[in-house]
Amino acid sequence: MDAELAALAASGATAVVQLMAQDAWTTIRERVLALFGRGADRTESVSAALDETRTVIASSGGRDDPRLVALTSDWRDRLLELLQQDPAPAEELRALVAHASGRPSSVHNVITGAKVRGPVIQAHTITGDLHFG
C-alpha cells in the first residue's frame, strides 16, 4: 500500500504543479485545500505554500526549471505524508490527477434500499429546476 500511496503522491504533486499554471487554478486550489482538511492552521500553511508555489511557477523558465522539480518534490512529500496519515483523500487526489491529465475520472454508483421507477440523475451541480416528462 505504501508504494501505491507514494505513486499517487508523486502523480498528484505533478498534477498540482501543472494545474497551477492554468486559468482554472482558483477552483483547483480549493480542491487541493480540501484534500488537506479543515484545520485552520493546516489550511493556512497549505494555502500559503500553494500561493508561494504559484508565484514561482509564474516566474519559471518552463518545465526544465530546477525550481519546478524541487517544488514538485516538495508537494509529493506533503501529499505522501497526508495520505499516510489518512488515506481517505486518495480518491479525490486520483480525480485531481485524472483532471490534470485530461482523462475523466471513473464513477461507480449503486442504488440500494429502494425501488427506482424513473430516471436517476448524477450531476456535479444542478442550478434551477429539474423536470422530467
Side-chain angles (χ1 to χ4, degrees), residues 25-106:
W25 172 242
T26 304
T27 302
I28 300 300
R29 184 181 190 281
E30 293 305 313
R31 288 176 65 182
V32 173
L33 285 174
L35 287 173
F36 286 89
R38 304 271 185 250
D41 291 342
R42 187 178 214 177
T43 302
E44 286 178 23
S45 69
V46 171
S47 178
L50 288 169
D51 292 343
E52 187 176 313
T53 302
R54 183 116 197 259
T55 300
V56 172
I57 288 170
S59 67
S60 75
R63 291 182 126 171
D64 296 330
D65 189 320
R67 296 177 300 169
L68 295 183
V69 174
L71 288 170
T72 302
S73 178
D74 179 53
W75 282 104
R76 182 199 62 230
D77 293 345
R78 287 173 187 261
L79 290 168
L80 181 57
E81 181 181 346
L82 171 74
L83 294 171
Q84 287 175 332
Q85 290 174 0
D86 178 16
E91 200 54 44
E92 177 58 25
L93 184 55
R94 283 186 187 93
L96 198 62
V97 170
H99 177 82
S101 68
R103 294 184 327 252
S105 58
S106 64

Side-chain angles (χ1 to χ4, degrees), residues 1-7 80 87 90 94:
M1 183 64 145
D2 282 343
E4 182 183 343
L5 292 180
L80 181 57
R94 283 186 187 93

